[in-house]
Amino acid sequence: MKRLVMILMACVFALGAEAKVTPSRLFQDGMVLQRGRAIPVWGTADRGERFTVAFGGKSYAVEADGRGQWRVELPKMKAGGPYTMTIADRTINDVLVGDVWLCSGQSNMDVTIERVSPQYPELVKTYSNDRVRLLRVDQVARVGGPQSDFRTSGWKHLNPTDSWKFSAIGYFLGKRLQEETGVPQGIICNSWGGTPIEAWIPEDSLKRDFPQYLNRLALYTPEYVEAQTRANNEMNNRWQQVLNEADPGMKEGWTGLDYNDGAWKSYSQYARDWAQSDGRGVVGSVWMRQHVRIDAAHAGKPALLVLGTLYDADYTYVNGRQVGVTYYQYPPRRYEIPAGLLHEGDNVIAIRFVNKTGTPAFTKGKKYELQFAANDILPLSEQWLGHIGAEMPACPQQDVNVQYLPTVMHNSMTAPIVPYALAGVVWYQGESNTGKSEEYLPMLRKLKGSWRTLLGDAQLPVVVVQLANFMAPSAQPQESDWAALREAQRLSTVEDARSELAVAIDMGEANDIHPLRKKEVADRVALAMERLYYGRKVVLSPAPQRARVENNIVVVDFDQNLRAGEVFELELKGDDGHYHQVSATAKGRRVVIGMGQVAHPTMVRYAWKDNPDKANVYNLKGLPATPFQISIDQ
């Protein structure tokens, strides 16, 4: 009996010691592999472990090295599938071979299909395409060098359910390219809102020209980050607890219909006084209430409460029931009101603004309404009843947003997906670097170079999405950090034959840093990839070739024909060192600029503003010219 027990225990130990072959998390059911190139497959196992990888009717022997790392390159294949791949004892099903695109950047790449769905309601609710697959690299940031793997929920099919939280740019790019080519498309999204470009660049690429960034990184040890994050969480929780305890609205039922708000003062939602105390924005909570009359035809029906965007956090109630909460300023507020909550007669909407900095606010120019159906809308009044809840001291905390640190995004979210073979990269980022636009061009060079080096593809196509128009328009010439960064983006594609610019200067919104017309932007990205990757002769946005003085006028030559007529947002720099607005006309491939009172012009620039809302230089296909600044040949 004793001998039998020993034998059984030995078997158990042998099973426990059996090697576990683990491929990278990219290799999951539903994946898309890049056609026409060698296919790297890699992962971890016990040191020296031997096993096979089988794909496309062939098997390949693999052995893990002394560090437990393994990699095999499968021969290139044509587009097709679905196939099955076997890695040791693991079977991966529903594998397609097609074109794979990496979509990276900050929040405008992050913006989801859910967020833009009001722009394309029928499309996103009904469209499915089994030949487009989507993979989201989870947002995880770690200090301490390149990571070997990442977190993800795996490859999803493009359909109304699985696409809802995926990048809208990636979704529309995959949809268009698959429909045009018939080739399976794989979209990998690794992006994170607010991240600067230096966060996505490897350490060795920053070391020579931007050592100051690495000096900053050295302060953030894993131990410090863990301790400070824990302290911040404790402080935030305590701050919120004290606020809730001090806020009379939480005790006296300011959310409900039966609360008597007769003594509250009426305010326009766009005034500032309701959100201020002693001339400063209220840190703490401010309440706004609005009574809404519902007729018998709409009583009891479900509805959508649309509240534009609000600064900063809001807790929103209808007739005392919480219908929504958003913890920061940017997301659109679209809160579902369930059937039965609205009743005939008087109803009340209550918004509890919670701010740790700045002044609570409604965003002007957004929609504020109750939507019962597409054409059945009840606009809300701009008048609200307001009352300060509780004023608080600022919440003391040390910034440890690790994702903003140099190299961290590369290490945490790019390095782990290398060397997965790609067709190209889409880069949509820059908002967080507008204050240092002079650094952007050399950093973008380094970023592109790092992708091409790490992936072993010197010809890797890269499309840069240029920053959209944003903020208040200006009628006068304006020195603009946003314009300067757009110029850096433009120059990065002018100097790089394997890079193109997707111009979005007409896609922005003055009151929203996250414009919603992502399908149109993705269409322009797709056009650029059609030229770079598919080798098609396509027309992209007009670009300036040369500016010169000719018979007391300035002529700007473009690379293609333009819409004829008067054009705006052109400026000349004179010998006084200042830029001046001038009249201009487009005809053929030229923009002709009257010099007016500008003596000896030396530079011409176009759409050089945060929001050049009158910019109207377009080609014959309706694509906008890129903003630019170029010297004038004398």
Side-chain angles (χ1 to χ4, degrees):
M1 183 68 178
K2 184 175 180 181
R3 178 178 173 81
L4 177 60
V5 170
M6 292 178 67
I7 292 173
L8 290 173
M9 289 180 66
C11 291
V12 169
F13 286 128
L15 288 171
E18 184 178 338
K20 183 179 181 182
V21 176
T22 304
S24 164
R25 288 189 176 93
L26 286 160
F27 300 95
Q28 299 190 39
D29 290 351
M31 67 182 175
V32 181
L33 300 173
Q34 179 59 42
R35 62 171 172 154
R37 294 181 189 165
I39 302 171
V41 183
W42 72 95
T44 59
D46 284 353
R47 290 178 294 178
E49 178 68 15
R50 296 178 180 179
F51 57 95
T52 60
V53 173
F55 186 61
K58 297 181 180 180
S59 294
Y60 307 88
V62 185
E63 182 177 347
D65 65 18
R67 298 175 302 154
Q69 308 290 320
W70 58 267
R71 174 176 168 178
V72 60
E73 286 202 350
L74 311 184
K76 62 184 179 181
M77 294 182 63
K78 295 181 179 179
Y83 302 107
T84 296
M85 178 182 287
T86 302
I87 302 175
D89 60 353
R90 179 177 305 203
T91 299
I92 302 172
N93 298 304
D94 192 23
V95 179
L96 300 180
V97 177
D99 292 328
V100 184
W101 310 94
L102 176 64
C103 294
S104 191
Q106 60 177 110
S107 53
N108 270 301
M109 184 63 84
D110 253 354
V111 167
T112 62
I113 283 293
E114 177 189 23
R115 185 102 155 239
V116 306
S117 58
Q119 294 289 118
Y120 321 99
E122 295 308 313
L123 172 63
V124 301
K125 288 179 182 177
T126 61
Y127 183 79
S128 294
N129 189 331
D130 185 56
R131 307 295 277 179
V132 181
R133 308 293 172 79
L134 313 170
L135 182 133
R136 171 75 211 193
V137 178
D138 287 359
Q139 292 178 335
V140 176
R142 298 189 184 97
V143 296
Q147 305 298 306
S148 61
D149 215 338
F150 62 99
R151 292 209 304 250
T152 180
S153 58
W155 290 90
K156 308 295 183 183
H157 291 209
L158 193 157
N159 60 50
T161 301
D162 289 344
S163 304
W164 197 238
K165 295 290 187 179
F166 195 77
S167 162
I169 291 285
Y171 171 105
F172 289 120
L173 176 64
K175 174 184 182 296
R176 173 167 172 151
L177 291 180
Q178 199 287 320
E179 290 174 344
E180 287 189 346
T181 66
V183 172
Q185 302 290 316
I187 307 294
I188 301 173
C189 181
N190 71 337
S191 55
W192 196 326
T195 52
I197 190 171
E198 61 268 21
W200 296 93
I201 299 176
E203 180 176 348
D204 56 359
S205 295
L206 289 176
K207 189 174 296 182
R208 188 184 72 178
D209 296 324
F210 299 100
Q212 68 273 24
Y213 286 106
L214 300 181
N215 293 339
R216 178 182 170 218
L217 180 64
L219 300 174
Y220 289 79
T221 65
E223 295 76 18
Y224 167 75
V225 170
E226 181 182 356
Q228 190 60 56
T229 299
R230 185 168 58 250
N232 282 351
N233 289 338
E234 291 175 0
M235 179 56 70
N236 280 322
N237 292 339
R238 181 58 181 159
W239 189 92
Q240 190 70 48
Q241 180 184 358
V242 172
L243 172 67
N244 292 343
E245 292 170 352
D247 190 341
M250 303 299 291
K251 305 171 187 176
E252 300 172 9
W254 291 4
T255 65
L257 182 60
D258 57 353
Y259 174 74
N260 182 3
D261 54 20
W264 286 30
K265 187 176 178 181
S266 178
Y267 299 93
S268 164
Q269 67 187 39
Y270 300 123
R272 304 294 284 174
D273 50 353
W274 63 267
Q276 294 183 335
S277 176
D278 297 327
R280 292 186 175 184
V282 172
V283 173
S285 63
V286 179
W287 292 77
M288 300 292 274
R289 286 168 54 95
Q290 181 171 150
H291 290 264
V292 180
R293 295 202 66 81
I294 300 296
D295 60 24
H298 294 91
K301 288 186 174 181
L304 189 69
L305 175 59
V306 178
L307 294 173
T309 57
L310 307 172
Y311 186 86
D312 186 28
D314 74 281
Y315 300 78
T316 296
Y317 306 82
V318 173
N319 293 336
R321 182 188 298 186
Q322 184 172 306
V323 295
V325 58
T326 304
Y327 297 106
Y328 65 109
Q329 70 185 93
Y330 293 119
R333 272 57 168 183
R334 299 196 293 261
Y335 298 143
E336 293 183 359
I337 300 176
L341 185 54
L342 294 172
H343 53 256
E344 186 176 0
D346 188 31
N347 297 259
V348 71
I349 300 167
I351 305 175
R352 184 192 187 215
F353 288 82
V354 173
N355 283 345
K356 294 179 180 177
T357 60
T359 302
F362 295 84
T363 302
K364 200 166 187 177
K366 296 289 186 179
K367 293 180 178 179
Y368 297 87
E369 59 193 21
L370 280 168
Q371 299 177 357
F372 293 93
N375 297 312
D376 189 3
I377 294 171
L378 176 63
L380 299 181
S381 170
E382 291 185 9
Q383 292 299 124
W384 294 73
L385 300 173
H387 202 292
I388 293 175
E391 295 187 61
M392 292 282 291
C395 182
Q397 56 188 145
Q398 179 70 34
D399 177 15
V400 286
N401 292 314
V402 176
Q403 69 272 22
Y404 300 159
L405 295 175
T407 77
V408 167
M409 287 293 88
H410 166 79
N411 292 340
S412 300
M413 292 176 63
T414 301
I417 64 176
V418 171
Y420 205 71
L422 301 174
V425 178
V426 184
W427 177 245
Y428 194 168
Q429 190 277 341
E431 297 90 343
S432 290
N433 289 91
T434 53
K436 295 181 178 180
S437 57
E438 71 283 355
E439 296 179 347
Y440 201 78
L441 178 56
M443 283 200 174
L444 191 47
R445 289 186 189 121
K446 292 179 180 297
L447 182 65
K448 292 180 188 179
S450 71
W451 289 327
R452 289 166 175 158
T453 299
L454 290 167
L455 294 169
D457 183 359
Q459 299 300 308
L460 182 73
V462 179
V463 172
V464 177
V465 181
Q466 197 178 44
L467 292 187
N469 48 311
F470 176 54
M471 295 183 285
S474 172
Q476 301 301 321
Q478 178 186 55
E479 294 308 316
S480 164
D481 288 337
W482 279 63
L485 194 129
R486 291 186 197 112
E487 180 70 353
Q489 292 173 319
R490 181 185 77 87
L491 292 174
S492 81
T493 61
V494 170
E495 69 182 21
D496 183 350
R498 298 299 296 160
S499 187
E500 293 286 2
L501 193 67
V503 178
I505 197 61
D506 58 340
M507 290 290 156
E509 301 174 29
N511 56 6
D512 199 333
I513 200 171
H514 303 117
L516 300 182
R517 294 169 64 191
K518 296 301 190 229
K519 178 181 180 299
E520 292 81 352
V521 175
D523 286 342
R524 294 174 185 179
V525 172
L527 270 178
M529 284 303 183
E530 287 175 24
R531 175 184 285 184
L532 287 172
Y533 178 73
Y534 295 103
R536 296 177 182 166
K537 293 183 179 180
V538 298
V539 176
L540 303 180
S541 285
Q545 302 295 291
R546 179 191 174 198
R548 65 187 190 281
V549 176
E550 182 180 287
N551 298 325
N552 293 319
I553 59 172
V554 174
V555 176
V556 182
D557 297 314
F558 281 79
D559 60 353
Q560 59 190 277
N561 287 327
L562 307 173
R563 284 182 185 169
E566 186 177 11
V567 290
F568 305 99
E569 302 287 11
L570 273 295
E571 300 169 3
L572 294 179
K573 183 179 182 181
D575 56 7
D576 59 357
H578 298 292
Y579 278 92
H580 305 267
Q581 290 189 163
V582 288
S583 60
T585 303
K587 185 177 181 180
R589 290 177 171 238
R590 309 195 315 170
V591 168
V592 177
I593 304 171
M595 291 167 53
Q597 303 301 312
V598 181
H600 309 294
T602 58
M603 301 282 291
V604 56
R605 66 188 189 185
Y606 167 68
W608 196 272
K609 296 175 181 176
D610 299 334
N611 183 3
D613 63 333
K614 293 182 174 58
N616 67 331
V617 178
Y618 283 82
N619 68 11
L620 302 182
K621 291 184 175 292
L623 292 174
T626 173
F628 64 84
Q629 175 178 270
I630 59 176
S631 298
I632 299 172
D633 297 339
Q634 301 298 319

